[in-house]
Each structure stands twice: as structure tokens, then as C-alpha cells.
Amino acid sequence: MTTVSSQIAERARVADVPGIHHLIQHWADETGDVLPRTEGEIYETLRDFLVVREGSRLVAAGALHVQWKDLAEVKSLVVDPTAQGQGAGGIIVRACLDEAVALGLRTVFALTTSPGFFERLGFSQAAVAAFPRKVWTECLRCPKYDNCDEIAVSIDLRDRLAAAESTAVSPPA
């Protein structure tokens, strides 16, 4: 779990699916900044999702989806409109990066209409062509495919992986 102020990112639970779906649909319908997801898709990928709560209220959600042996995507990152600018989105992304390091992944990317948000978290802009598995699996099915307004961003985690490996304690023999 990642802690910033009093909020933490935690694994999503089955009971969170309607709230996650509501937030995704809000942003999909309101601005088109995220792709719509059905509740079924969220249930199928529930283990990818992390959430941030304020009390019992779900204020943010996002997923780390492993694409390949060294690559994962932060996707479906959404924050309740009343909680915008309070750090919940950053909490989700940092937790995704922590999980990516724990999994041994070298690179994390996102497709976004808000590259500045990700750049403040250490990502850099990248060419979407650098992520062909994404293009050939999801992008081709996307309604925005012919007129995509998203920018690819990525972060190289090799330094974090090396640091994590160097501080790992070996079990006694």
C-alpha cells in the first residue's frame, strides 16, 4: 500500500465495482478522457484495480495491467470530480509503480490526455508505437482509433528495480 497524507491505495474489492464503473463512466461520458468499461470488464480485471477511499466513499481508482514480461500499463485512472486536485490520482499511480517494481517490471506506460500529471510523477512522453501490444490488442478496438487524442507516457523502473534487489534480504541458509 502507498500512503500520502491520510489516504492510501488499497486493492479493489468486488463491492467496489459499481463505484469504479460509475467513476469511469462519468469521465468517459463527460470528457472522453477515459475509455468506457462495462461492469463485466471491471469484474474480469478487478485484481488490476487499486482504489482510494475517504471514509466509505470511493474517491479514486486505477489499474495496473501487465502487458508483457517487462511492461505494464496504468489504465482507467479516475478521480471523483469532488476530489480532484487532492492527490488521490497520484496515490494510485505511485501504488501502481510500487506494485510494478514488486513484480519485477521494467517499464510502465499510460495513454493519457493529461501528460503533465504523469510527468510530475516521473513519466516522460513516448511514442505510442513503442507499445505495439497495446496498439494491437486494445487500440484497434477503440472508438478513438482513427482520431486518437491520447499521448503515450512511460517511466523506466530499472533504477528502482536495482535498488529493490540490492536491499532485499536473503533468507538465512
Side-chain angles (χ1 to χ4, degrees), residues 24-25 56 67 69 76 91 118 124 138 141 165 169:
I24 289 172
Q25 289 311 116
S56 62
Q67 290 273 323
K69 67 181 178 180
S76 298
I91 291 168
F118 284 93
S124 300
E138 276 197 279
R141 296 182 289 125
E165 289 170 4
V169 178

Side-chain angles (χ1 to χ4, degrees), residues 12-24 38-44 46 49 51 58:
R13 301 183 301 247
V14 169
D16 295 323
V17 170
I20 295 168
H21 182 254
H22 174 77
L23 287 176
I24 289 172
T38 66
E39 281 191 356
E41 289 172 306
I42 298 167
Y43 281 117
E44 289 174 2
L46 185 61
F49 277 91
V51 297
L58 188 73

Side-chain angles (χ1 to χ4, degrees), residues 1-2 9-12 46-50 62-66 72 92-105 108 157 160-161:
M1 289 195 249
T2 298
E10 58 187 59
R11 287 259 154 243
L46 185 61
R47 292 176 137 193
D48 290 352
F49 277 91
L50 296 165
L64 179 72
H65 183 74
V66 176
I92 295 285
V93 173
R94 283 189 284 282
C96 287
L97 295 177
D98 290 348
E99 183 175 356
V101 169
L103 290 170
L105 296 166
V108 173
L157 299 175
R160 292 185 199 188
L161 284 169

Side-chain angles (χ1 to χ4, degrees), residues 20 23 50-53 57-62 77-80 88-89 92:
I20 295 168
L23 287 176
L50 296 165
V51 297
V52 171
R53 302 173 205 289
R57 184 172 73 105
L58 188 73
V59 295
L77 179 63
V78 289
V79 177
D80 186 294
I92 295 285

